[in-house]
Amino acid sequence: MTEARVPDHERKTYYVSVGAGQVLEDKEAAPFELVIRANEEELNKLQELFEETSSTDEAGAFTFDRNPLVSDPPEDETYDGLIRDVYRLLHELGTEETKRHIESMNILQ
């Protein structure tokens, strides 16, 4: 969903910590890195992506039969793809400062 389709009055400001997988309404509640404006549907999509990312990361943590000479196991590729999806959505919903920060990370390429 793009900003052009959703009136701004239907959006609220949220504070996002990607590492913690948190989306907060209160910027004083916990440390955050990014600020977005989202409606309920967009917020739900972001939270689902965070849940998928967390599940994939946990599944990879319990895989001990990896060959240390082989890079990028499938679990890592899935996780990396999900993280890119998270940042794409955050870029779409982000404030101008958030968008510039994500662009400076070169993660969307």
Side-chain angles (χ1 to χ4, degrees):
M1 183 162 284
T2 63
E3 286 186 48
R5 293 187 210 161
V6 178
D8 197 52
H9 71 274
E10 292 182 19
R11 296 176 183 271
K12 292 172 60 175
T13 300
Y14 295 96
Y15 305 91
V16 181
S17 172
V18 176
Q22 290 184 319
V23 182
L24 308 163
E25 288 188 55
D26 178 7
K27 68 180 180 179
E28 303 297 323
F32 65 92
E33 300 95 36
L34 305 169
V35 180
I36 63 169
R37 300 265 309 149
N39 63 26
E40 191 171 327
E41 181 180 332
E42 294 161 332
L43 179 64
N44 289 339
K45 183 176 179 179
L46 179 58
Q47 289 173 325
E48 286 173 12
L49 281 171
F50 277 141
E51 288 172 15
E52 285 181 54
T53 302
S54 177
S55 295
T56 301
D57 191 35
E58 289 171 9
F62 294 106
T63 304
F64 299 108
D65 59 343
R66 292 184 185 170
N67 180 342
L69 302 177
V70 177
S71 63
D72 294 331
E75 300 87 14
D76 288 351
E77 291 174 17
T78 301
Y79 179 81
D80 291 349
L82 287 169
I83 286 294
R84 275 192 294 279
D85 290 346
V86 166
Y87 277 106
R88 275 189 203 100
L89 184 56
L90 291 172
H91 184 268
E92 181 181 325
L93 302 175
T95 62
E96 288 305 313
E97 183 177 350
T98 293
K99 289 178 183 185
R100 281 192 304 272
H101 178 73
I102 292 170
E103 289 165 6
S104 76
M105 296 170 65
N106 293 321
I107 194 168
L108 301 178
Q109 298 175 356

